[in-house]
Amino acid sequence: MQSVVCLFGAFIAAAVFHPGSCVETVIGLYGETIEVPCNNGNNKPDGLIFTKWKYVKDDGSPGDLLVKQAQKDEATVSATDGYKSRVSIAANSSLLIARGSLADQRVFTCMVVSLTNLEEHSVEVKVHKKPSAPVIKNNAKELENGKLTQLGECVVENANPPADLIWMKNDQPLVDDGKTIIITSTITKDPVTGLSSTSSRLQYTARKEDVESQFTCKAKHEMGPDQVSEPETFPIHYPTEKVSLQVVSQSPIREGDDVTLKCQADGNPPPTSFNFNIKGKKVTVTDKDVYTLTGVTRVDSGIYKCSLLDNDVMESTQFVTVSCEWMSDVLYFSINISGNYSADPSVIGIPKITSLTKHRSNDGKHKVLTCEAEGSPKPDVQWSVNGTNDEMSYVNGKATYKLTVVPSKNLTVSCFVTNKLGEDTKEISVFSLFEEDTSKPEKNEDGTEQAKVIVGVVVGLLVAAALVGLTYWLYIKKTRQGSWKTGEKETGTSEESKKLEENNHKADV
Ligand SMILES: *[C@@H]1O[C@H](CO)[C@@H](O)[C@H](O)[C@H]1NC(C)=O
Ligand SMILES: *[C@@H]1O[C@H](CO)[C@@H](O)[C@H](O)[C@H]1NC(C)=O
Ligand SMILES: *[C@@H]1O[C@H](CO)[C@@H](O)[C@H](O)[C@H]1NC(C)=O
């Protein structure tokens, strides 16, 4: 590899400018033989006596390398230092340096001596080396959702000049933003070889979807194509946001059945232990997510819950109803007839919750939940939380239940209605009374009602405004018609009068 740094070329520069101010540069490869040309091959003048290669040692003293007499085939190596065994001369007078190293990055000069002239041509040597392939080290075992974590360290070794490293996620470069992505690069030089190693540390704030992301590191170097590391992936940890309790057994559940409750959480890694609330009794299961009730009877019907060991706010509720053998027949029968006779409350009907709403009590200290259900015989109600059951009515097959609660935390409240024919359940979110901004309406059925009222008021105002406008217009029109005939001065704007006058003239014609 060879390049001329100065546009004028070595000759002109040497002649016109200070000698050495413009030097040809060649780039050699580390560990290989470096060829240093002498005046680009134009170095055999008439009457050539000898060619000599020399350099300037680090301490400034002259360093002779070799001399080649024109009549002799062999050159005489005059170097006594490390160059002694590494230098030779080519037929075209190029200096050949075996096993190039960074210590060879210096200026070499060939001296061409003929009968009539003495010329010197200097060449600067640079030695380049491609880095090793990039490797990602010290990988994080997992990343935590939303938390800046050191993901890994990318390393390339033994390059000259130093390599640049670029972190990539799914083949897209990652850019340091000083906050969610922080990239720290360091370059170290080997004291013996002088070669540089580059290391780049990536601190990264992962998101849940990064569980799919592939991280690589790309090394850029002038000695060849980009090199890319093996891709790395990372598990992403995040806390549970939702717990769900499932009744695994087939319904309807009959007396004597085994019933398995399964508790699931959406965090990663998934929690391995849970608290089950078995009709008010707390049971902790470790290293499993199920609890089995064996040989259930009707008294096992009721509310079951599960929650996280360390956070009982993460809770889920299910109602289990154990029916007797004969009941399923009744149930079957009632399904058949309910379509035809549902309007008649005297006819038996499976309970069905028609609405579950919430609103704040007038004094703002409680939440009142209202659960409305149809069904016959009169359904019984169960709520998943403690509270005051203050009202209950049952009219024409429609039951209304009210529960007053003082939620100190956000809750999911279930209303469960049951009669001997079946059951129904509905859930509603109730936000803590102690955190809410009391000026904001809740986003629920009440909210919808309020929105409807607001829309109604706005529409009403618009209609009223339109009516006022219409009345005014009619009034103006009437006054003007009068004024045209009488020639009285108008009360409208100047533009209006102009138009009206035009119309008047047209009418005259
Ligand atoms: C000198 O000769 C070598 C082969 O011996 C060749 O590779 C090189 O290109 C030549 N250099 C010049 C400047 O002609
Ligand atoms: C509900 O009340 C029962 C009985 O008073 C009590 O055992 C239970 O702990 C209460 N549950 C909650 C969630 O407060
Ligand atoms: C309750 O829910 C509201 C609205 O979703 C939320 O802003 C608040 O942080 C929650 N409070 C608790 C204690 O989880």
Side-chain angles (χ1 to χ4, degrees), residues 363-415:
D363 60 6
K365 289 181 183 155
H366 319 279
K367 294 277 177 87
V368 180
L369 307 177
T370 307
C371 186
E372 290 176 336
E374 293 169 349
S376 182
K378 184 191 83 178
D380 287 329
V381 70
Q382 277 181 294
W383 297 89
S384 66
V385 295
N386 285 347
T388 329
N389 293 48
D390 31 31
E391 277 177 58
M392 152 77 202
S393 67
Y394 184 62
V395 181
N396 291 338
K398 287 191 177 177
T400 304
Y401 315 94
K402 286 192 184 199
L403 182 77
T404 302
V405 290
V406 187
S408 57
K409 60 188 184 190
N410 292 346
L411 295 172
T412 302
V413 178
S414 314
C415 172

Short mmCIF file of all heavy atoms in Angstrom, two decimals, residues 363-415:
data_model
loop_
_atom_site.label_atom_id
_atom_site.label_comp_id
_atom_site.label_asym_id
_atom_site.label_seq_id
_atom_site.Cartn_x
_atom_site.Cartn_y
_atom_site.Cartn_z
N ASP A 363 -71.06 12.31 51.69
CA ASP A 363 -70.05 12.93 52.56
C ASP A 363 -68.63 12.66 52.05
O ASP A 363 -67.66 13.11 52.63
CB ASP A 363 -70.21 12.47 54.00
CG ASP A 363 -70.06 10.95 54.12
OD1 ASP A 363 -69.72 10.30 53.10
OD2 ASP A 363 -70.27 10.42 55.22
N GLY A 364 -68.49 11.90 50.97
CA GLY A 364 -67.17 11.68 50.36
C GLY A 364 -66.31 10.69 51.13
O GLY A 364 -65.16 10.49 50.79
N LYS A 365 -66.86 10.04 52.15
CA LYS A 365 -66.04 9.17 52.99
C LYS A 365 -66.12 7.70 52.59
O LYS A 365 -65.32 6.88 53.04
CB LYS A 365 -66.45 9.31 54.46
CG LYS A 365 -66.05 10.65 55.05
CD LYS A 365 -66.45 10.74 56.49
CE LYS A 365 -66.12 12.11 57.05
NZ LYS A 365 -66.97 12.45 58.17
N HIS A 366 -67.09 7.35 51.78
CA HIS A 366 -67.27 5.94 51.41
C HIS A 366 -67.48 5.82 49.92
O HIS A 366 -67.77 6.79 49.24
CB HIS A 366 -68.50 5.33 52.09
CG HIS A 366 -68.67 5.73 53.51
ND1 HIS A 366 -67.98 5.13 54.52
CD2 HIS A 366 -69.45 6.70 54.09
CE1 HIS A 366 -68.32 5.69 55.67
NE2 HIS A 366 -69.20 6.66 55.43
N LYS A 367 -67.39 4.57 49.49
CA LYS A 367 -67.81 4.26 48.13
C LYS A 367 -69.01 3.33 48.27
O LYS A 367 -69.00 2.42 49.10
CB LYS A 367 -66.72 3.51 47.38
CG LYS A 367 -65.47 4.33 47.13
CD LYS A 367 -65.63 5.20 45.90
CE LYS A 367 -64.44 6.08 45.67
NZ LYS A 367 -63.38 5.46 44.91
N VAL A 368 -70.02 3.59 47.47
CA VAL A 368 -71.20 2.73 47.50
C VAL A 368 -71.25 1.96 46.17
O VAL A 368 -71.25 2.55 45.10
CB VAL A 368 -72.49 3.54 47.71
CG1 VAL A 368 -73.70 2.61 47.75
CG2 VAL A 368 -72.39 4.36 48.99
N LEU A 369 -71.24 0.64 46.30
CA LEU A 369 -71.29 -0.21 45.11
C LEU A 369 -72.71 -0.74 44.96
O LEU A 369 -73.33 -1.14 45.96
CB LEU A 369 -70.32 -1.38 45.27
CG LEU A 369 -68.89 -1.00 45.62
CD1 LEU A 369 -68.06 -2.24 45.82
CD2 LEU A 369 -68.30 -0.14 44.52
N THR A 370 -73.22 -0.71 43.76
CA THR A 370 -74.58 -1.19 43.51
C THR A 370 -74.53 -2.32 42.50
O THR A 370 -74.00 -2.14 41.40
CB THR A 370 -75.47 -0.05 42.98
OG1 THR A 370 -75.36 1.04 43.89
CG2 THR A 370 -76.92 -0.48 42.86
N CYS A 371 -75.07 -3.45 42.89
CA CYS A 371 -75.08 -4.62 42.01
C CYS A 371 -76.53 -4.96 41.74
O CYS A 371 -77.32 -5.16 42.67
CB CYS A 371 -74.35 -5.76 42.74
SG CYS A 371 -74.11 -7.22 41.72
N GLU A 372 -76.90 -4.97 40.48
CA GLU A 372 -78.29 -5.29 40.13
C GLU A 372 -78.32 -6.60 39.38
O GLU A 372 -77.51 -6.81 38.47
CB GLU A 372 -78.89 -4.18 39.26
CG GLU A 372 -79.11 -2.90 40.05
CD GLU A 372 -79.63 -1.75 39.20
OE1 GLU A 372 -79.40 -1.78 37.97
OE2 GLU A 372 -80.24 -0.85 39.77
N ALA A 373 -79.26 -7.45 39.78
CA ALA A 373 -79.30 -8.77 39.16
C ALA A 373 -80.75 -9.21 38.95
O ALA A 373 -81.65 -8.81 39.70
CB ALA A 373 -78.58 -9.78 40.03
N GLU A 374 -80.93 -10.00 37.92
CA GLU A 374 -82.23 -10.62 37.69
C GLU A 374 -82.11 -12.08 38.09
O GLU A 374 -81.04 -12.65 37.95
CB GLU A 374 -82.61 -10.55 36.21
CG GLU A 374 -82.86 -9.16 35.71
CD GLU A 374 -82.97 -9.10 34.19
OE1 GLU A 374 -82.64 -10.12 33.53
OE2 GLU A 374 -83.36 -8.05 33.70
N GLY A 375 -83.17 -12.65 38.48
CA GLY A 375 -83.12 -14.07 38.78
C GLY A 375 -84.24 -14.47 39.70
O GLY A 375 -84.78 -13.65 40.45
N SER A 376 -84.62 -15.71 39.61
CA SER A 376 -85.68 -16.22 40.44
C SER A 376 -85.41 -17.70 40.67
O SER A 376 -85.11 -18.41 39.70
CB SER A 376 -87.03 -16.02 39.73
OG SER A 376 -88.06 -16.47 40.56
N PRO A 377 -85.48 -18.21 41.88
CA PRO A 377 -85.77 -17.49 43.13
C PRO A 377 -84.75 -16.39 43.42
O PRO A 377 -83.71 -16.36 42.80
CB PRO A 377 -85.68 -18.59 44.20
CG PRO A 377 -85.37 -19.87 43.52
CD PRO A 377 -85.14 -19.62 42.09
N LYS A 378 -85.11 -15.55 44.39
CA LYS A 378 -84.29 -14.40 44.75
C LYS A 378 -82.82 -14.80 44.96
O LYS A 378 -82.53 -15.68 45.76
CB LYS A 378 -84.81 -13.78 46.05
CG LYS A 378 -84.07 -12.53 46.43
CD LYS A 378 -84.41 -12.08 47.84
CE LYS A 378 -83.57 -12.85 48.86
NZ LYS A 378 -83.83 -12.42 50.23
N PRO A 379 -81.91 -14.21 44.15
CA PRO A 379 -80.51 -14.60 44.32
C PRO A 379 -79.91 -14.05 45.61
O PRO A 379 -80.27 -12.97 46.04
CB PRO A 379 -79.81 -13.97 43.11
CG PRO A 379 -80.89 -13.44 42.22
CD PRO A 379 -82.09 -13.22 43.08
N ASP A 380 -78.98 -14.81 46.16
CA ASP A 380 -78.19 -14.33 47.29
C ASP A 380 -76.96 -13.63 46.73
O ASP A 380 -76.48 -13.99 45.65
CB ASP A 380 -77.72 -15.50 48.16
CG ASP A 380 -78.88 -16.06 48.97
OD1 ASP A 380 -79.78 -15.27 49.32
OD2 ASP A 380 -78.87 -17.29 49.22
N VAL A 381 -76.49 -12.68 47.48
CA VAL A 381 -75.32 -11.95 46.98
C VAL A 381 -74.12 -12.19 47.89
O VAL A 381 -74.27 -12.40 49.09
CB VAL A 381 -75.60 -10.43 46.87
CG1 VAL A 381 -75.74 -9.80 48.25
CG2 VAL A 381 -74.50 -9.72 46.07
N GLN A 382 -72.95 -12.21 47.28
CA GLN A 382 -71.71 -12.22 48.06
C GLN A 382 -70.78 -11.22 47.41
O GLN A 382 -70.73 -11.11 46.18
CB GLN A 382 -71.07 -13.61 48.01
CG GLN A 382 -71.66 -14.56 49.02
CD GLN A 382 -70.96 -15.89 48.94
OE1 GLN A 382 -71.07 -16.59 47.94
NE2 GLN A 382 -70.24 -16.23 49.98
N TRP A 383 -70.06 -10.48 48.24
CA TRP A 383 -69.08 -9.53 47.74
C TRP A 383 -67.68 -10.05 48.09
O TRP A 383 -67.52 -10.74 49.08
CB TRP A 383 -69.28 -8.16 48.38
CG TRP A 383 -70.60 -7.52 48.07
CD1 TRP A 383 -71.77 -7.66 48.75
CD2 TRP A 383 -70.87 -6.62 46.99
NE1 TRP A 383 -72.76 -6.90 48.17
CE2 TRP A 383 -72.23 -6.26 47.08
CE3 TRP A 383 -70.11 -6.09 45.94
CZ2 TRP A 383 -72.83 -5.39 46.18
CZ3 TRP A 383 -70.70 -5.22 45.06
CH2 TRP A 383 -72.06 -4.88 45.16
N SER A 384 -66.70 -9.68 47.28
CA SER A 384 -65.35 -10.17 47.53
C SER A 384 -64.62 -9.37 48.59
O SER A 384 -63.53 -9.73 49.00
CB SER A 384 -64.54 -10.18 46.24
OG SER A 384 -64.33 -8.85 45.80
N VAL A 385 -65.20 -8.27 49.02
CA VAL A 385 -64.53 -7.48 50.07
C VAL A 385 -65.51 -7.25 51.23
O VAL A 385 -66.72 -7.36 51.06
CB VAL A 385 -64.04 -6.11 49.54
CG1 VAL A 385 -62.97 -6.28 48.50
CG2 VAL A 385 -65.20 -5.28 49.02
N ASN A 386 -64.94 -6.93 52.37
CA ASN A 386 -65.78 -6.61 53.53
C ASN A 386 -66.35 -5.21 53.37
O ASN A 386 -65.71 -4.33 52.82
CB ASN A 386 -64.94 -6.65 54.81
CG ASN A 386 -64.65 -8.09 55.22
OD1 ASN A 386 -65.27 -9.01 54.71
ND2 ASN A 386 -63.72 -8.24 56.14
N GLY A 387 -67.51 -5.03 53.88
CA GLY A 387 -68.14 -3.72 53.82
C GLY A 387 -69.47 -3.82 54.52
O GLY A 387 -69.79 -4.84 55.12
N THR A 388 -70.24 -2.75 54.42
CA THR A 388 -71.56 -2.77 55.05
C THR A 388 -72.61 -3.04 53.97
O THR A 388 -72.71 -2.27 53.00
CB THR A 388 -71.86 -1.39 55.69
OG1 THR A 388 -70.63 -0.83 56.12
CG2 THR A 388 -72.79 -1.53 56.85
N ASN A 389 -73.33 -4.14 54.14
CA ASN A 389 -74.42 -4.42 53.19
C ASN A 389 -75.62 -3.64 53.69
O ASN A 389 -76.28 -4.06 54.64
CB ASN A 389 -74.78 -5.91 53.19
CG ASN A 389 -73.66 -6.75 52.65
OD1 ASN A 389 -72.52 -6.59 53.05
ND2 ASN A 389 -73.99 -7.61 51.73
N ASP A 390 -75.87 -2.49 53.09
CA ASP A 390 -76.94 -1.72 53.72
C ASP A 390 -78.29 -1.84 53.06
O ASP A 390 -79.28 -1.68 53.72
CB ASP A 390 -76.56 -0.25 53.92
CG ASP A 390 -75.62 0.27 52.90
OD1 ASP A 390 -75.68 -0.21 51.74
OD2 ASP A 390 -74.83 1.14 53.22
N GLU A 391 -78.34 -2.09 51.79
CA GLU A 391 -79.66 -2.11 51.17
C GLU A 391 -79.83 -3.34 50.33
O GLU A 391 -78.88 -3.87 49.79
CB GLU A 391 -79.86 -0.89 50.26
CG GLU A 391 -80.28 0.34 51.01
CD GLU A 391 -80.39 1.50 50.05
OE1 GLU A 391 -81.18 1.40 49.09
OE2 GLU A 391 -79.66 2.50 50.26
N MET A 392 -81.06 -3.72 50.21
CA MET A 392 -81.35 -4.88 49.39
C MET A 392 -82.81 -4.79 49.01
O MET A 392 -83.65 -4.46 49.85
CB MET A 392 -81.06 -6.12 50.24
CG MET A 392 -81.86 -7.34 49.89
SD MET A 392 -81.18 -8.11 48.42
CE MET A 392 -82.60 -9.03 47.87
N SER A 393 -83.08 -4.97 47.74
CA SER A 393 -84.50 -5.00 47.37
C SER A 393 -84.69 -6.09 46.34
O SER A 393 -83.74 -6.48 45.64
CB SER A 393 -84.92 -3.65 46.81
OG SER A 393 -84.28 -3.42 45.57
N TYR A 394 -85.89 -6.59 46.27
CA TYR A 394 -86.18 -7.63 45.28
C TYR A 394 -87.59 -7.39 44.79
O TYR A 394 -88.56 -7.59 45.50
CB TYR A 394 -86.04 -9.02 45.91
CG TYR A 394 -86.24 -10.13 44.91
CD1 TYR A 394 -85.36 -10.26 43.82
CD2 TYR A 394 -87.28 -11.05 45.05
CE1 TYR A 394 -85.54 -11.27 42.90
CE2 TYR A 394 -87.45 -12.07 44.13
CZ TYR A 394 -86.58 -12.18 43.07
OH TYR A 394 -86.75 -13.17 42.14
N VAL A 395 -87.69 -6.84 43.59
CA VAL A 395 -88.99 -6.47 43.04
C VAL A 395 -89.10 -7.04 41.64
O VAL A 395 -88.20 -6.85 40.82
CB VAL A 395 -89.12 -4.92 42.96
CG1 VAL A 395 -90.49 -4.54 42.43
CG2 VAL A 395 -88.87 -4.29 44.32
N ASN A 396 -90.14 -7.73 41.36
CA ASN A 396 -90.40 -8.29 40.02
C ASN A 396 -89.20 -9.05 39.45
O ASN A 396 -88.83 -8.84 38.31
CB ASN A 396 -90.77 -7.17 39.04
CG ASN A 396 -92.12 -6.58 39.38
OD1 ASN A 396 -92.93 -7.23 40.06
ND2 ASN A 396 -92.34 -5.35 38.95
N GLY A 397 -88.59 -9.86 40.28
CA GLY A 397 -87.47 -10.68 39.78
C GLY A 397 -86.18 -9.91 39.66
O GLY A 397 -85.18 -10.45 39.19
N LYS A 398 -86.19 -8.60 40.06
CA LYS A 398 -84.97 -7.81 39.99
C LYS A 398 -84.46 -7.50 41.39
O LYS A 398 -85.19 -6.93 42.20
CB LYS A 398 -85.22 -6.50 39.25
CG LYS A 398 -85.38 -6.73 37.77
CD LYS A 398 -85.37 -5.43 37.00
CE LYS A 398 -85.46 -5.75 35.52
NZ LYS A 398 -85.52 -4.57 34.70
N ALA A 399 -83.22 -7.91 41.64
CA ALA A 399 -82.64 -7.69 42.96
C ALA A 399 -81.62 -6.57 42.87
O ALA A 399 -80.91 -6.46 41.87
CB ALA A 399 -81.97 -8.96 43.46
N THR A 400 -81.59 -5.73 43.90
CA THR A 400 -80.58 -4.67 43.96
C THR A 400 -79.86 -4.78 45.28
O THR A 400 -80.50 -4.87 46.34
CB THR A 400 -81.26 -3.30 43.85
OG1 THR A 400 -82.03 -3.27 42.65
CG2 THR A 400 -80.22 -2.18 43.80
N TYR A 401 -78.53 -4.83 45.21
CA TYR A 401 -77.73 -4.96 46.44
C TYR A 401 -76.80 -3.78 46.50
O TYR A 401 -76.25 -3.36 45.48
CB TYR A 401 -76.89 -6.24 46.43
CG TYR A 401 -77.64 -7.47 45.98
CD1 TYR A 401 -77.58 -7.87 44.64
CD2 TYR A 401 -78.37 -8.21 46.88
CE1 TYR A 401 -78.26 -8.99 44.22
CE2 TYR A 401 -79.06 -9.35 46.46
CZ TYR A 401 -79.00 -9.73 45.12
OH TYR A 401 -79.66 -10.83 44.70
N LYS A 402 -76.61 -3.28 47.72
CA LYS A 402 -75.65 -2.18 47.89
C LYS A 402 -74.62 -2.56 48.94
O LYS A 402 -74.94 -3.21 49.93
CB LYS A 402 -76.36 -0.89 48.29
CG LYS A 402 -77.10 -0.31 47.12
CD LYS A 402 -77.57 1.08 47.36
CE LYS A 402 -78.38 1.48 46.13
NZ LYS A 402 -78.56 2.87 45.96
N LEU A 403 -73.39 -2.12 48.68
CA LEU A 403 -72.31 -2.38 49.63
C LEU A 403 -71.55 -1.08 49.83
O LEU A 403 -71.18 -0.42 48.85
CB LEU A 403 -71.35 -3.45 49.10
CG LEU A 403 -70.22 -3.83 50.06
CD1 LEU A 403 -70.73 -4.74 51.16
CD2 LEU A 403 -69.08 -4.52 49.30
N THR A 404 -71.37 -0.70 51.09
CA THR A 404 -70.61 0.51 51.38
C THR A 404 -69.22 0.10 51.84
O THR A 404 -69.08 -0.70 52.76
CB THR A 404 -71.31 1.33 52.47
OG1 THR A 404 -72.62 1.63 51.99
CG2 THR A 404 -70.57 2.64 52.73
N VAL A 405 -68.21 0.63 51.16
CA VAL A 405 -66.83 0.26 51.52
C VAL A 405 -66.02 1.53 51.74
O VAL A 405 -66.35 2.60 51.23
CB VAL A 405 -66.16 -0.60 50.42
CG1 VAL A 405 -66.78 -1.97 50.38
CG2 VAL A 405 -66.19 0.07 49.07
N VAL A 406 -64.95 1.38 52.49
CA VAL A 406 -63.99 2.47 52.67
C VAL A 406 -62.66 1.94 52.15
O VAL A 406 -61.86 1.40 52.92
CB VAL A 406 -63.87 2.87 54.16
CG1 VAL A 406 -62.99 4.12 54.30
CG2 VAL A 406 -65.24 3.11 54.76
N PRO A 407 -62.42 2.03 50.83
CA PRO A 407 -61.20 1.40 50.30
C PRO A 407 -59.95 2.19 50.68
O PRO A 407 -59.84 3.37 50.39
CB PRO A 407 -61.42 1.42 48.79
CG PRO A 407 -62.43 2.46 48.54
CD PRO A 407 -63.21 2.67 49.79
N SER A 408 -59.04 1.51 51.39
CA SER A 408 -57.78 2.16 51.76
C SER A 408 -56.72 1.87 50.71
O SER A 408 -55.62 2.37 50.75
CB SER A 408 -57.32 1.66 53.11
OG SER A 408 -57.21 0.26 53.06
N LYS A 409 -57.05 1.00 49.76
CA LYS A 409 -56.15 0.70 48.65
C LYS A 409 -57.01 0.43 47.43
O LYS A 409 -58.22 0.28 47.55
CB LYS A 409 -55.28 -0.50 48.99
CG LYS A 409 -56.07 -1.76 49.27
CD LYS A 409 -55.19 -2.89 49.78
CE LYS A 409 -56.02 -4.16 49.94
NZ LYS A 409 -55.31 -5.22 50.63
N ASN A 410 -56.37 0.39 46.26
CA ASN A 410 -57.11 0.07 45.04
C ASN A 410 -57.59 -1.38 45.11
O ASN A 410 -56.82 -2.26 45.47
CB ASN A 410 -56.23 0.25 43.81
CG ASN A 410 -55.89 1.71 43.58
OD1 ASN A 410 -56.50 2.59 44.17
ND2 ASN A 410 -54.92 1.94 42.71
N LEU A 411 -58.84 -1.58 44.77
CA LEU A 411 -59.41 -2.92 44.90
C LEU A 411 -60.11 -3.32 43.61
O LEU A 411 -60.59 -2.48 42.87
CB LEU A 411 -60.50 -2.93 45.98
CG LEU A 411 -60.12 -2.65 47.43
CD1 LEU A 411 -61.41 -2.52 48.23
CD2 LEU A 411 -59.27 -3.78 47.96
N THR A 412 -60.15 -4.62 43.39
CA THR A 412 -61.06 -5.15 42.39
C THR A 412 -62.14 -5.86 43.18
O THR A 412 -61.87 -6.80 43.92
CB THR A 412 -60.35 -6.13 41.45
OG1 THR A 412 -59.29 -5.45 40.84
CG2 THR A 412 -61.31 -6.64 40.39
N VAL A 413 -63.35 -5.35 43.07
CA VAL A 413 -64.44 -5.92 43.86
C VAL A 413 -65.34 -6.73 42.95
O VAL A 413 -65.70 -6.29 41.85
CB VAL A 413 -65.25 -4.80 44.56
CG1 VAL A 413 -66.41 -5.38 45.35
CG2 VAL A 413 -64.34 -3.97 45.45
N SER A 414 -65.68 -7.92 43.39
CA SER A 414 -66.57 -8.77 42.61
C SER A 414 -67.91 -8.86 43.33
O SER A 414 -67.98 -8.94 44.55
CB SER A 414 -66.01 -10.18 42.49
OG SER A 414 -64.67 -10.14 42.15
N CYS A 415 -68.95 -8.84 42.52
CA CYS A 415 -70.29 -9.11 43.03
C CYS A 415 -70.66 -10.49 42.50
O CYS A 415 -70.52 -10.77 41.32
CB CYS A 415 -71.27 -8.05 42.52
SG CYS A 415 -72.98 -8.45 42.91
#
